[in-house]
């Protein structure tokens, strides 16, 4: 699931690469590295590893929201509505995994 979120963020980032408040690959890599370091340090229990992943997902969601909000400035109203609909469909599909 983490990889799916990462791939979506890369796709969204490249889509609105000229926006000011979009997620950069460096920011995404930083989150990934933080999650991996947390897991490497807290590997003794499933609970602590799960907390590392949950915190990472929350950080990814913040970056996704930055990119979605930045897209609003570069898309027409109809395109942005379609973009949001696709985002909702994607979120629904992720929850079904």
């Amino acid at each position: 699931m983490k990889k799916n979120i990462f791939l979506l963020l890369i796709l969204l980032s490249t889509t609105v690469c000229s926006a000011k408040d979009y997620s950069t690959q460096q920011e995404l890599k930083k989150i990934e590295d933080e999650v991996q370091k947390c897991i490497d340090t807290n590997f003794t229990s499933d609970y602590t590893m799960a907390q590392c992943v949950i915190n990472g997902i929350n950080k990814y969601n913040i970056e996704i929201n930055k990119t979605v909000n930045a897209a609003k400035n570069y898309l027409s109203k109809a395109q942005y509505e379609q973009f949001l609909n696709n985002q909702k469909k994607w979120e629904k599909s992720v929850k079904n995994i």
Side-chain angles (χ1 to χ4, degrees), residues 79-93:
Q79 289 172 324
Y80 186 69
E81 288 174 8
Q82 182 63 45
F83 182 75
L84 291 179
N85 287 335
N86 290 337
Q87 178 68 12
K88 288 176 187 175
K89 288 178 186 176
W90 179 84
E91 289 173 0
K92 185 178 178 181
S93 72

Side-chain angles (χ1 to χ4, degrees), residues 30-93:
K30 181 180 173 186
I31 294 170
E32 184 178 345
D33 291 345
E34 287 174 5
V35 170
Q36 189 59 54
K37 182 178 178 183
C38 182
I39 290 172
D40 291 344
T41 320
N42 297 294
F43 62 89
T44 56
S45 87
D46 290 341
Y47 176 79
T48 55
M49 288 193 304
Q51 291 305 308
C52 295
V53 173
I54 289 169
N55 289 336
I57 289 170
N58 290 337
K59 289 179 181 181
Y60 279 124
N61 285 334
I62 290 169
E63 296 304 319
I64 289 170
N65 288 333
K66 277 187 194 178
T67 303
V68 168
N69 289 334
K72 187 176 187 177
N73 298 324
Y74 296 93
L75 300 174
S76 70
K77 186 175 180 179
Q79 289 172 324
Y80 186 69
E81 288 174 8
Q82 182 63 45
F83 182 75
L84 291 179
N85 287 335
N86 290 337
Q87 178 68 12
K88 288 176 187 175
K89 288 178 186 176
W90 179 84
E91 289 173 0
K92 185 178 178 181
S93 72

